[in-house]
Amino acid sequence: MSLRTSLACLAIACLVPHVASAASLILSSRGQVALEARGFLPDDDAATTDYGLGLFGRVEARLKKRPWSARMRVAGRVDTVDKQRSYAWIEELWAEWKSGPVRLRVGADIVNWTATEAFHPADVLNSRNLDSDFKNLDKVGEPMVRLAVDAGDGLLELFALPMVVRPLKPSPRSRFNFLRSLDPDPRVRIIETNGTISNHKLAPQGALRWSQSFRGADLSLQAIHHVDRGQPAILFVPPAGPATMLLQTVTHAGLTYTQTVRGAILKLEGAYRHFWPADTSPTAPLAFDDRDHLQLAPGFEYTRTIP
């Protein structure tokens, strides 16, 4: 059975939520199907596609039996114009144990650490599908061990991230593939903390997050040390080799803050990011500028009902 047929059947079968219960065991499922279209102004390049028409689907299944719970969520896209844009990926596949204020979760998961609508400097943990919605790129599940402890009206979370999940690269024919003039399918490599370039899939990464709610406000502080996938802006082109997209190791400190004031919501999201440099010795083939930076994204929301 083709990916297109499998995706359509699975998603349609789960469009109507289903819940089954046997004693303390609860099993539920749901799905989503969407028809997507996009178009660009013609670029007179036969190697690219100026439009796309595809089917997007998502299937989710949940299982709960105290103190255990589990979830599986898979998404996929089938493009009828650009066949190389058709693929499926795991968003969530985890099991969790809960006892009192403590929760331990193991498996692939998606985290959403954001307060604003358009810019998300603090929401950097997951890899993205670089050929999806340009405003809000699809996330890919990140293998992790998550330990969470209730702390007053908030949460203290510790994450261990053992694997580097590469971003899903744009199709060689996609207009979002900005590197196609050099190489339509560049390799992806990692710049490790010591400056060496490797193809390792395992790397010591971790994160710590504290969140709290008080007096109409929500505040979270976070610290992350990981291989950054959100800004793969460094391109290395050897004299006689393929183009290579390099991902740097980053130490990141960020925050999100929302405050309710008389029906209005004030928002702030920010992060400072330190990029660990690559080896720039005279014998090294790579050198580039310091990329450390601070990003701030303020926001304001006010809802008014008109009679």
Side-chain angles (χ1 to χ4, degrees):
M1 184 179 292
S2 66
L3 172 62
R4 180 185 309 178
T5 306
S6 301
L7 179 60
C9 291
L10 285 173
I12 293 173
C14 293
L15 273 176
V16 179
H18 171 74
V19 177
S21 177
S24 60
L25 176 65
I26 300 176
L27 174 63
S28 62
S29 63
R30 62 181 180 177
Q32 172 190 359
V33 173
L35 185 65
E36 298 179 333
R38 66 182 185 181
F40 303 87
L41 293 176
D43 62 354
D44 299 322
D45 186 352
T48 63
T49 57
D50 296 327
Y51 64 95
L53 179 63
L55 180 71
F56 174 83
R58 177 178 286 120
V59 177
E60 177 181 317
R62 291 176 288 179
L63 177 67
K64 186 174 183 179
K65 185 177 182 181
R66 296 181 179 178
W68 295 93
S69 60
R71 180 181 298 174
M72 179 186 71
R73 191 171 71 194
V74 180
R77 178 177 287 107
V78 176
D79 195 301
T80 60
V81 179
D82 186 357
K83 306 298 184 183
Q84 297 184 69
R85 191 171 173 253
S86 301
Y87 35 69
W89 64 94
I90 294 174
E91 293 184 327
E92 295 182 79
L93 183 60
W94 51 258
E96 181 179 89
W97 173 82
K98 184 178 186 300
S99 178
V102 179
R103 280 169 280 178
L104 179 64
R105 180 178 297 180
V106 179
D109 199 6
I110 285 178
V111 298
N112 297 296
W113 295 346
T114 186
T116 53
E117 301 298 328
F119 302 100
H120 311 294
D123 192 20
V124 298
L125 202 61
N126 290 93
S127 275
R128 308 293 179 114
N129 180 353
L130 303 180
D131 204 3
S132 56
D133 185 348
F134 189 71
K135 180 181 177 181
N136 190 18
L137 297 174
D138 297 332
K139 294 182 179 181
V140 181
E142 188 82 9
M144 63 180 68
V145 178
R146 171 181 175 263
L147 177 64
V149 181
D150 293 338
D153 292 327
L155 202 62
L156 180 64
E157 301 169 280
L158 178 64
F159 297 81
L161 311 164
M163 181 178 294
V164 180
V165 178
R166 267 62 167 176
L168 299 179
K169 295 180 292 183
S171 159
R173 300 185 62 202
S174 173
R175 293 285 294 273
F176 287 138
N177 191 343
F178 301 110
L179 304 177
R180 63 182 182 274
S181 60
L182 295 171
D183 189 336
D185 189 21
R187 283 60 175 167
V188 179
R189 297 292 183 267
I190 295 169
I191 302 176
E192 299 188 12
T193 305
N194 61 5
T196 60
I197 300 173
S198 75
N199 190 32
H200 295 162
K201 294 184 179 180
L202 300 179
Q205 305 170 97
L208 179 66
R209 184 173 187 258
W210 173 77
S211 58
Q212 195 70 211
S213 299
F214 53 92
R215 295 184 180 179
D218 293 313
L219 171 68
S220 72
L221 303 175
Q222 63 192 61
I224 308 172
H225 181 79
H226 73 144
V227 176
D228 176 67
R229 277 66 50 84
Q231 297 178 335
I234 304 171
L235 186 68
F236 173 44
V237 184
T244 304
M245 186 166 56
L246 299 178
L247 309 177
Q248 275 184 278
T249 299
V250 172
T251 299
H252 161 116
L255 66 86
T256 63
Y257 180 73
T258 60
Q259 175 73 57
T260 303
V261 181
R262 296 181 179 179
I265 303 177
L266 306 178
K267 304 178 181 182
L268 177 65
E269 186 171 333
Y272 177 78
R273 318 189 74 202
H274 168 65
F275 289 77
W276 291 79
D279 185 1
T280 56
S281 62
T283 58
L286 177 68
F288 49 85
D289 296 334
D290 182 10
R291 301 179 67 207
D292 292 3
H293 62 267
L294 172 68
Q295 289 180 310
L296 293 174
F300 175 79
E301 180 179 330
Y302 181 74
T303 302
R304 183 174 181 179
T305 302
I306 299 177

